[in-house]
């Protein structure tokens, strides 16, 4: 309606133009920038947007190969609840204090770095749970080089173990398995390895490619070996960064501290961050007033793969926002303001994620090649049957990918995964949890619920054909 008014044409004409493009819109439907440009063009108008996403990206300095040096890996620990994620991190943190700084009090800042026996550094993100990991990824942040999956040897490979593995795999992050609690008399690491093989995770001593270490987060047994395996995995990645350019990092946490102001934990990933630097993250900016390491010691500068706590932002950026060191305060402020404006506009814009109804339009515009689907169902048999049938709907133009499938209700972590991977969720004889439903609304993730498999298959099939039909 707004667009029709701007162009002084009838609403019905705009709607039928949309239909012609495979978009079935209502009179008050919001359209995204791409569609507006397309439709306006049909009516002989060109569109000028006052802000665009390009304006708010910070142009990164190019790296010369010779400026790159090895950087420490950044590791996240994931696994089922009570399998020992916190204990493992606590053990590592308390036993591997950087030389010369022993005795410092560790504060919770969301990220730590430790030095291993072999003298190499590893940075750990203290955001246990794959939800946090995937939430970061959904915001475009890539902050984990290696994932440690913890499985308790006195328990089983649990739903959350599988989910964590799946989330790491979808993100393309290498996995090291830690079989924990082997000090317990009823520990049975072989049973865990067997269960892992059942979900296609073959560990090395079973002839597979996954490194695996038996550990005890209580006694410390095997933990040095685990860290060496993480380093080995990291070596294969040839992680490098230029330590001299302006800083690039990711926001891990931000809080408002009475007295100190906004306190932000940043993981510096490239370049160097100095006290006094002008910084930008999301729609906030400022100047680094003071910086601290995770032991609370004041530091003047931080290089790649270093977590720091800093003071100086004019507000609280969100976890997952990218931090950039900037040349001038004016540029930082301008970009921050533009981003805020875009965020405001986006909150009233249309779907940012795929829906079945959107498929046709994206096909018409071109470039849509893959439909990502998450399948949840009440029993394994129907999940497998539905997934198989959906996979078979792949055409030359569009590949259907089942990025995750599982038994049980649709969880918040499913929605986060959908958001990070631009997927639709198909539920068969299951419902979303309350939290998942709310999150799906705010993340604009489509959840389709079915009680007949045939209906689900038909809907996806129709959607994909709807896409294929209109050629513009
Ligand atoms: P998280 O939920 O994965 O973070 O698990 P926690 O680290 O909180 O551990 C859950 C429980 O298992 C706690 O009571 C720990 O003390 C215990 N635990 C963790 N690791 C070990 C271990 O290696 N051996 C034994 N015996 N207990 C452990």
């Amino acid at each position: 309606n707004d667009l029709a008014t701007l162009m002084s044409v009838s609403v019905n004409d705009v709607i039928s133009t949309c239909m012609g493009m495979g978009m079935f819109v209502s009179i008050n439907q919001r359209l995204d920038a791409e569609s507006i440009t397309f439709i306006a063009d049909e009516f002989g108008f060109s569109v000028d947007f006052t802000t665009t996403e390009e304006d708010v990206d910070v142009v990164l300095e190019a790296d010369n190969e010779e400026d790159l040096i090895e950087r420490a890996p950044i590791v996240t620990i994931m696994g089922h609840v009570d399998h020992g994620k916190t204990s493992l991190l606590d053990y590592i943190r308390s036993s591997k204090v950087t030389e010369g700084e022993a005795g410092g009090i560790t504060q919770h800042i969301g990220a730590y770095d430790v030095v291993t026996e072999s003298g190499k550094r590893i940075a750990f993100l203290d955001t246990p749970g794959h939800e946090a990991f995937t939430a970061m990824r959904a915001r475009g942040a890539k902050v984990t080089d290696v994932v440690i999956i913890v499985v308790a040897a006195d328990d089983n490979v649990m739903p959350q173990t599988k989910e964590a593995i799946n989330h790491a795999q979808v993100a393309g992050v290498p996995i090291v398995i830690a079989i924990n609690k082997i000090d317990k008399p009823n520990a049975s690491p072989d049973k865990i390895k067997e269960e892992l093989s059942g979900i296609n995770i073959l560990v090395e001593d079973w002839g597979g490619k996954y490194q695996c270490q038996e550990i005890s987060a209580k006694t410390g047994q095997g933990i040095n070996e685990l860290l060496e395996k993480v380093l080995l995995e990291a070596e294969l990645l040839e992680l490098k960064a230029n330590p001299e350019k302006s800083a690039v990092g990711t926001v891990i946490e931000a809080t408002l501290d009475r007295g100190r102001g906004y306190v932000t934990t940043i993981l510096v990933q490239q370049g160097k961050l100095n006290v006094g630097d002008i910084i930008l993250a999301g729609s906030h900016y400022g100047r680094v007033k003071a910086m601290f390491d995770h032991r609370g010691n004041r530091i003047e500068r931080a290089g790649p793969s270093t977590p720091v706590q800093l003071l100086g932002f004019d507000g609280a950026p969100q976890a997952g926002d990218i931090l950039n060191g900037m040349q001038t305060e004016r540029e930082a402020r301008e970009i921050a303001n533009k981003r805020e404006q875009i965020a405001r506009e986006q909150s009233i814009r249309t779907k940012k994620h795929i829906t079945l109804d959107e498929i046709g339009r994206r096909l018409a515009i071109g470039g849509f090649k893959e439909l990502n689907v998450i399948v949840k169902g009440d029993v394994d048999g129907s999940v497998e049957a539905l997934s198989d049938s959906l996979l078979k709907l792949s055409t030359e133009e569009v590949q259907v990918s089942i990025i995750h499938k599982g038994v049980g209700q649709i969880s918040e972590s499913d929605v986060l995964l959908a958001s990070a991977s631009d997927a639709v969720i198909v539920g068969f004889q299951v419902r979303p949890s309350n939290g998942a439903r709310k999150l799906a609304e705010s993340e604009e993730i489509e959840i389709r619920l079915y009680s007949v498999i045939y209906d689900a298959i038909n809907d996806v099939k129709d959607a994909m054909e709807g896409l294929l039909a209109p050629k513009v």
Side-chain angles (χ1 to χ4, degrees):
N1 191 28
D2 288 349
L3 183 59
T5 312
L6 277 173
M7 299 190 296
S8 308
V9 298
S10 92
V11 177
N12 284 338
D13 285 351
V14 172
I15 292 181
S16 56
T17 303
C18 292
M19 300 262 236
M21 294 163 52
M23 295 165 55
F24 298 91
V25 295
S26 62
I27 188 162
N28 51 10
Q29 184 149 348
R30 291 254 154 208
L31 301 167
D32 61 24
E34 224 175 348
S35 317
I36 291 172
T37 309
F38 227 77
I39 299 161
D41 187 57
E42 292 285 298
F43 289 90
F45 287 89
S46 71
V47 180
D48 201 10
F49 291 93
T50 53
T51 52
T52 67
E53 320 257 329
E54 283 85 61
D55 290 342
V56 298
D57 284 339
V58 175
V59 182
L60 296 180
E61 297 163 50
D63 289 318
N64 292 324
E65 191 58 37
E66 63 268 24
D67 296 333
L68 298 178
I69 58 159
E70 193 183 326
R71 67 165 178 84
I74 303 163
V75 176
T76 302
I77 300 176
M78 309 201 289
H80 195 74
V81 65
D82 280 347
H83 279 197
K85 298 178 291 292
T86 315
S87 308
L88 174 60
L89 194 59
D90 284 350
Y91 186 91
I92 293 171
R93 217 168 46 197
S94 57
S95 66
K96 306 277 166 224
V97 183
T98 316
E99 232 175 286
E101 295 177 58
I105 298 161
T106 315
Q107 349 174 355
H108 171 86
I109 71 162
Y112 311 90
D113 57 334
V114 300
V115 176
T116 65
E117 295 283 279
S118 58
K120 296 220 168 187
R121 216 161 56 79
I122 302 180
F124 280 92
L125 283 187
D126 183 11
T127 47
H130 50 275
E131 287 83 1
F133 169 82
T134 299
M136 288 262 210
R137 217 162 62 77
R139 300 189 53 78
K142 189 181 182 308
V143 267
T144 302
D145 300 309
V146 179
V147 165
I148 296 178
I149 300 282
V150 176
V151 197
D154 64 341
D155 198 5
N156 297 90
V157 168
M158 298 297 279
Q160 280 183 55
T161 318
K162 292 183 197 167
E163 251 182 56
I165 291 173
N166 196 262
H167 282 223
Q169 285 178 328
V170 172
V173 178
I175 291 170
V176 175
I177 305 283
I179 300 183
N180 189 30
K181 307 199 188 184
I182 51 156
D183 59 284
K184 286 196 151 184
N186 56 341
S188 170
D190 282 337
K191 187 188 72 183
I192 300 296
K193 290 177 191 173
E194 187 182 340
E195 288 176 9
L196 286 168
S197 76
I199 54 167
N200 281 327
I201 301 289
L202 268 189
V203 299
E204 275 184 332
D205 49 343
W206 278 52
K209 64 170 181 174
Y210 291 92
Q211 295 197 80
C212 175
Q213 179 63 45
E214 295 173 17
I215 61 162
S216 165
K218 190 174 165 191
T219 66
Q221 187 186 341
I223 290 182
N224 284 334
E225 289 81 354
L226 174 67
L227 298 183
E228 292 311 316
K229 285 181 178 172
V230 166
L231 287 169
L232 204 66
E233 204 64 54
E235 239 167 62
L236 300 175
L237 299 172
E238 296 187 24
L239 304 168
K240 287 187 174 151
N242 174 352
E244 291 307 323
K245 64 178 185 179
S246 304
V248 181
T250 299
V251 175
I252 307 299
E253 277 184 8
T255 51
L256 180 58
D257 180 296
R258 267 213 244 157
R260 290 206 296 171
Y262 290 99
V263 182
T264 312
T265 300
I266 302 285
L267 185 69
V268 179
Q269 290 165 286
Q270 300 174 44
K272 60 172 188 289
L273 189 61
N274 301 292
V275 170
D277 281 358
I278 298 156
I279 45 174
L280 167 73
S283 48
H284 295 283
Y285 72 103
R287 191 183 279 273
V288 181
K289 279 196 246 160
M291 245 181 344
F292 306 89
D293 66 12
H294 74 250
R295 287 164 292 271
N297 302 316
R298 251 176 201 274
I299 51 173
E300 286 298 313
R301 60 171 48 204
S305 303
T306 313
V308 293
Q309 231 187 5
L310 65 81
L311 307 179
F313 268 115
D314 68 343
Q318 277 183 279
D321 278 345
I322 307 300
L323 168 123
N324 291 102
M326 304 294 289
Q327 295 307 318
T328 66
E329 188 159 333
R330 179 158 161 250
E331 195 190 0
R333 183 177 54 238
E334 276 175 9
I335 296 180
N337 290 343
K338 274 188 200 150
R339 284 178 177 169
E340 196 172 319
Q341 188 184 343
I342 286 183
R344 241 182 285 131
E345 284 167 9
Q346 262 178 352
S347 66
I348 52 170
R349 270 219 314 236
T350 47
K351 307 265 170 290
K352 50 184 186 208
H353 289 297
I354 191 74
T355 63
L356 291 191
D357 291 340
E358 263 251 316
I359 297 179
R361 193 184 67 84
R362 293 222 194 159
L363 275 174
I365 291 171
F368 184 76
K369 299 245 174 324
E370 189 170 49
L371 173 63
N372 287 335
V373 185
I374 293 175
V375 176
K376 293 300 283 277
D378 58 341
V379 290
D380 210 36
S382 44
V383 170
E384 292 302 326
L386 181 53
S387 303
D388 282 352
S389 306
L390 291 177
L391 278 178
K392 287 197 190 117
L393 296 177
S394 294
T395 62
E396 246 168 55
E397 281 91 350
V398 183
Q399 171 78 37
V400 177
S401 279
I402 309 294
I403 60 163
H404 178 57
K405 57 188 173 186
V407 172
Q409 75 170 350
I410 297 161
S411 66
E412 282 173 66
S413 114
D414 294 330
V415 176
L416 282 169
L417 185 63
S419 179
S421 316
D422 198 17
V424 295
I425 301 176
V426 174
F428 176 72
Q429 301 277 31
V430 289
R431 311 199 66 79
S433 68
N434 267 339
R437 196 172 37 74
K438 284 197 196 114
L439 189 63
E441 260 165 41
S442 66
E443 290 291 308
E444 297 176 349
I445 294 300
E446 181 172 45
I447 299 181
R448 293 255 177 171
L449 303 175
Y450 296 92
S451 47
V452 180
I453 288 192
Y454 178 80
D455 288 345
I457 298 164
N458 257 6
D459 275 5
V460 175
K461 184 157 172 270
D462 286 352
M464 288 178 58
E465 281 168 2
L467 267 168
L468 303 173
K471 290 259 189 280
V472 187

